[in-house]
């Protein structure tokens, strides 16, 4: 299912454990979240990625155009994926 990151996320710097909480609440649980960080790939705080992994959710961080393509590929493979996309 396609979901956007919560409205308070204006840039990759706003992506936090809290802003990703929606993805941890989905049923059935998703396997992977694809995050599009805008025009280019940005580094997220390692703790944020670790917390998601501990919840059993992989995180793929890409620039937004590639994140869209990855999300479409994952769903075509019947993977339980979600995307959080910051517009380029």
């Amino acid at each position: 299912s396609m979901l956007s990151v919560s409205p308070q996320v204006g840039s990759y710097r706003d992506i936090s454990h809290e802003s990703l909480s929606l993805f941890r609440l989905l049923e059935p649980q998703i396997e992977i979240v694809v995050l599009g960080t805008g025009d280019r790939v940005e580094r997220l705080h390692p703790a944020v990625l670790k917390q998601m992994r501990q919840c059993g959710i992989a995180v793929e961080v890409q620039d937004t155009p590639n994140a869209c393509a990855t999300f479409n590929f994952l769903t075509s493979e019947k993977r339980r994926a979600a995307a959080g996309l910051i517009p380029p």
Side-chain angles (χ1 to χ4, degrees):
S1 54
M2 182 67 139
L3 293 169
S4 62
V5 175
S6 55
Q8 64 267 29
V9 174
S11 100
Y12 74 94
R13 293 180 194 86
D14 301 323
I15 297 174
S16 66
H17 189 61
E18 290 71 39
S19 69
L20 295 175
S21 62
L22 170 68
F23 295 120
R24 295 190 296 275
L25 301 173
L26 296 176
E27 289 291 335
Q29 186 184 8
I30 57 171
E31 301 170 54
I32 183 165
V33 174
V34 184
L35 297 177
T37 54
D39 287 320
R40 53 189 199 154
V41 182
E42 304 287 358
R43 278 179 51 82
L44 299 191
H45 200 288
V48 173
L49 303 177
K50 183 173 178 227
Q51 288 164 328
M52 293 295 281
R53 278 198 309 271
Q54 286 171 338
C55 296
I57 301 173
V59 179
E60 182 72 41
V61 182
Q62 300 178 330
D63 62 80
T64 297
N66 280 308
C68 291
T70 298
F71 173 79
N72 288 336
F73 172 76
L74 289 167
T75 54
S76 76
E77 297 275 299
K78 304 287 188 268
R79 300 283 298 278
R80 293 191 314 275
L85 305 169
I86 295 172

